[in-house]
Structures are given as structure tokens and as C-alpha cells.
Amino acid sequence: IEYIRSQYYNKVEYVRFSSSLGKFVGFTQYGLKNAEQWNKDPSYLAALNAQKETYCLNNVGVEHQAI
């Protein structure tokens, strides 16, 4: 299971957090600056990695039952 958080502006993805990488990846000039800044904050990265456990892992059983 992977938690992905993408941010868009004008329908263009500029930055993405991936729990499998454990960091942000920027796709535009603005996104690269934001990713660099956010990747320097270990508490912010830890909070986003924790969202995988609190959101994804708790709901995976519910989603599979619905299918």
C-alpha cells in the first residue's frame, strides 16, 4: 500500500509526496523549491508517513469488502 499526496495548480502537478519514497518530489521549478523545503523537515515527513497507517491501512479492508 502506498500513500500519495499530489498538489496541482492549473491542472499541472507540481509536487508529490510518496510514502514509498518517504519524501516529496517536485515536477516544476516551484515544486522543486517546495519539495526541497519540505524534505528538510523530518517531523512533517514523519506525519505524512503516519497518515499511511492511520488512513490507508485502516480502510483497506473496507475497500476490499466493497469490491
Side-chain angles (χ1 to χ4, degrees), residues 21-42:
L21 293 175
K23 66 177 184 173
F24 285 93
V25 177
F27 299 107
T28 64
Q29 183 85 17
Y30 180 67
L32 291 170
K33 281 196 234 178
N34 283 325
E36 182 181 347
Q37 185 70 25
W38 294 333
N39 286 334
K40 289 180 183 178
D41 188 359

Side-chain angles (χ1 to χ4, degrees), residues 1 6 9 14 21 30 36 39 45 47 51 58 62-64:
I1 296 175
S6 299
Y9 180 74
Y14 67 93
L21 293 175
Y30 180 67
E36 182 181 347
N39 286 334
L45 294 176
Q51 286 185 4
N58 286 330
V62 174
E63 295 295 325
H64 282 277

Side-chain angles (χ1 to χ4, degrees), residues 3-66:
Y3 175 72
I4 296 174
R5 181 176 177 176
S6 299
Q7 296 186 10
Y8 294 83
Y9 180 74
N10 278 346
K11 299 180 183 179
V12 176
E13 182 179 24
Y14 67 93
V15 71
R16 175 189 300 169
F17 174 80
S18 172
S19 65
S20 64
L21 293 175
K23 66 177 184 173
F24 285 93
V25 177
F27 299 107
T28 64
Q29 183 85 17
Y30 180 67
L32 291 170
K33 281 196 234 178
N34 283 325
E36 182 181 347
Q37 185 70 25
W38 294 333
N39 286 334
K40 289 180 183 178
D41 188 359
S43 62
Y44 187 48
L45 294 176
L48 289 173
N49 279 316
Q51 286 185 4
K52 176 183 174 183
E53 269 80 54
T54 58
Y55 182 75
C56 297
L57 295 179
N58 286 330
N59 292 318
V60 71
V62 174
E63 295 295 325
H64 282 277
Q65 288 177 353

